[in-house]
């Protein structure tokens, strides 16, 4: 049996995820993560965790990630204003400093523990997925990396580029060009298309427990109507993220309930036929653990880049959320 991690973003609210991971990695005795799926600032956390798993250095990795968010995620550490980007109306900052953090924090692995890492990015050039069975354009790209990617410095650079693309919040950052299907495509934050891709975590048939880490409570308080600028942009992004998260979790729980009902009423042979007819072959019941704050985090994801106290608070709330689940 194995665990999967789904790590969502939220700009600097990714520090909440670091707090959750600090507890999960160091304090959950039966944790066995084989797959990490991430997007937005969760992609930074995901790359760090997947590298720690590959290298066999999981113990203490959460504490290192926690310190990274608190001490090395200020505005000056993350943003590099781009005059060209502003003039071209493509974005305010380059991705160079985010890339530098990844390069300093994740060296090539010297161990060979199995792990799969997937990233969601938004490609500005859509494509028609031949596996979908119909002609329709999608802009969501799920990029997959196996454990061997973490062993080679050159392959790591390709992974780092994908991580910066997955975390490139529109307007705040320039897009990142990735090679997709032999062409260079400008890519942005995966939040725009799917913040919590639960389905991608279930590809591994061994996964029986999925941890969904998101810095948003299940119930959001109403916001005032006078938001503008980045505050409005961030609020609209939160709406996109939470709506997709709501739908993904609702669908996952509905499927789980249906599977339970089928298992309770059908013999194994009939169950297999029913699952095949539904297109559910290979699906199984999975425990979904939501690790989210009880109430909305204070401040904003952008404002936290200017406030170490806010980042410390986000980390602390993440730790409390994980320990509350662990205490049960």
């Amino acid at each position: 049996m194995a665990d999967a991690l789904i790590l969502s973003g939220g700009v600097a609210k990714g520090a909440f995820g670091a707090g959750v991971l600090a507890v999960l990695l160091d304090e959950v005795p039966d944790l066995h993560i084989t797959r990490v799926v991430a997007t937005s600032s969760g992609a930074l956390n995901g790359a760090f965790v997947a590298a720690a798993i590959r290298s066999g250095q999981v113990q203490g990795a959460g504490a290192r990630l926690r310190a990274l968010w608190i001490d090395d995620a200020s505005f000056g550490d993350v943003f590099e204003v781009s005059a060209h980007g502003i003039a071209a109306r493509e974005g305010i900052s380059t991705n160079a400093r985010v890339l530098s953090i990844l390069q300093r924090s994740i060296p090539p692995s010297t161990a060979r523990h199995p792990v799969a890492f997937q990233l969601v990015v938004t490609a500005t050039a859509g494509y028609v997925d031949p596996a979908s069975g119909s002609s329709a354009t999608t802009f969501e790209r799920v990029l997959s990396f196996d454990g061997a990617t973490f062993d080679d410095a050159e392959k790591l650079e390709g992974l780092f580029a994908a991580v910066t693309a997955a975390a490139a919040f529109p307007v705040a950052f320039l897009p990142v060009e990735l090679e997709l299907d032999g062409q260079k495509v400008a890519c942005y934050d995966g939040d725009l298309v799917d913040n919590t891709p639960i389905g991608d975590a279930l590809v591994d048939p061994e996964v029986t427990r999925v941890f969904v880490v998101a810095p948003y409570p299940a119930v959001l308080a109403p916001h005032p109507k006078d938001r503008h600028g980045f505050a409005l942009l961030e609020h609209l992004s939160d709406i996109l993220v939470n709506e997709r998260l709501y739908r993904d979790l609702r669908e996952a729980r509905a499927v789980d309930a249906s599977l339970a009902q089928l298992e309770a009423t059908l013999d194994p042979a009939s169950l297999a036929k029913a699952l095949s007819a539904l297109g559910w072959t290979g699906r199984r019941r999975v425990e979904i653990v939501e690790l989210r704050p009880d109430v909305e985090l204070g401040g904003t994801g952008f404002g936290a880049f200017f406030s170490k106290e806010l980042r410390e608070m986000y980390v602390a709330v993440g730790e409390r959320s994980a320990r509350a689940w662990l205490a049960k």
Side-chain angles (χ1 to χ4, degrees):
M1 302 303 173
D3 297 316
L5 280 178
I6 306 290
L7 303 175
S8 73
V11 201
K13 289 181 181 178
F16 169 86
V20 168
L21 292 168
V23 174
L24 288 185
L25 298 179
D26 288 350
E27 300 180 25
V28 179
D30 65 337
L31 192 69
H32 178 48
I33 300 169
T34 60
R35 183 171 295 272
V36 180
V37 186
T39 189
S40 193
S41 54
L44 307 174
N45 293 336
F48 193 93
V49 170
I53 294 169
R54 180 65 173 175
S55 63
Q57 298 176 353
V58 174
Q59 200 69 23
R64 295 192 296 273
L65 182 60
R66 178 187 188 279
L68 188 67
W69 271 101
I70 292 174
D71 299 327
D72 299 310
S74 70
F75 181 86
D77 292 317
V78 174
F79 288 86
E80 180 185 61
V81 176
S82 169
H84 171 76
I86 294 172
R89 293 179 290 182
E90 292 184 334
I92 294 173
S93 173
T94 73
N95 304 277
R97 291 182 180 170
V98 175
L99 181 62
S100 178
I101 291 173
L102 290 165
Q103 291 168 332
R104 294 196 311 269
S105 305
I106 304 177
S109 175
T110 57
R112 300 293 180 266
H113 297 276
V115 67
F117 181 45
Q118 292 181 293
L119 290 170
V120 180
V121 301
T122 301
T124 55
Y127 82 112
V128 177
D129 183 1
S132 67
S134 62
S135 296
T137 298
T138 177
F139 296 90
E140 178 181 351
R141 290 296 188 104
V142 180
L143 311 179
S144 299
F145 303 90
D146 60 17
T149 304
F150 294 91
D151 307 338
D152 181 87
E154 185 175 342
K155 290 180 179 178
L156 267 179
E157 288 301 318
L159 182 145
F160 293 158
V163 171
T164 58
F169 193 93
V171 180
F173 289 98
L174 292 169
V176 177
E177 279 198 343
L178 300 178
E179 187 167 322
L180 303 175
D181 302 327
Q183 295 184 331
K184 293 286 187 180
V185 178
C187 295
Y188 283 102
D189 195 321
D191 263 1
L192 298 174
V193 288
D194 196 351
N195 187 262
T196 51
I198 296 173
D200 293 304
L202 301 179
V203 173
D204 183 349
E206 295 297 315
V207 169
T208 56
R209 182 170 59 178
V210 177
F211 292 92
V212 179
V213 181
Y216 312 98
V219 177
L220 293 170
H223 281 285
K225 297 180 179 180
D226 60 351
R227 292 200 162 199
H228 56 275
F230 268 118
L232 175 59
L233 182 62
E234 186 174 354
H235 179 48
L236 294 174
S237 174
D238 287 351
I239 291 173
L240 286 171
V241 168
N242 280 282
E243 192 63 26
R244 185 63 184 258
L245 175 58
Y246 164 76
R247 291 200 306 268
D248 284 355
L249 288 171
R250 182 181 60 181
E251 179 184 351
R253 297 194 190 286
V255 169
D256 198 60
S258 297
L259 286 172
Q261 187 173 5
L262 289 171
E263 290 170 0
T265 57
L266 299 177
D267 61 77
S270 299
L271 175 63
K273 290 180 181 179
L275 294 179
S276 177
L278 290 168
W280 286 7
T281 300
R283 290 205 180 190
R284 69 280 181 198
R285 298 185 65 188
V286 175
E287 178 187 0
I288 297 176
V289 179
E290 293 182 58
L291 295 172
R292 308 167 71 174
D294 292 331
V295 297
E296 195 167 355
L297 297 175
T300 68
F302 285 105
F305 286 121
F306 297 92
S307 171
K308 184 175 181 179
E309 289 74 19
L310 262 182
R311 298 195 301 274
E312 288 176 330
M313 184 266 283
Y314 293 164
V315 167
V317 174
E319 291 174 333
R320 288 200 300 272
S321 298
R323 289 199 176 100
W325 166 78
L326 189 57
K328 298 176 182 179

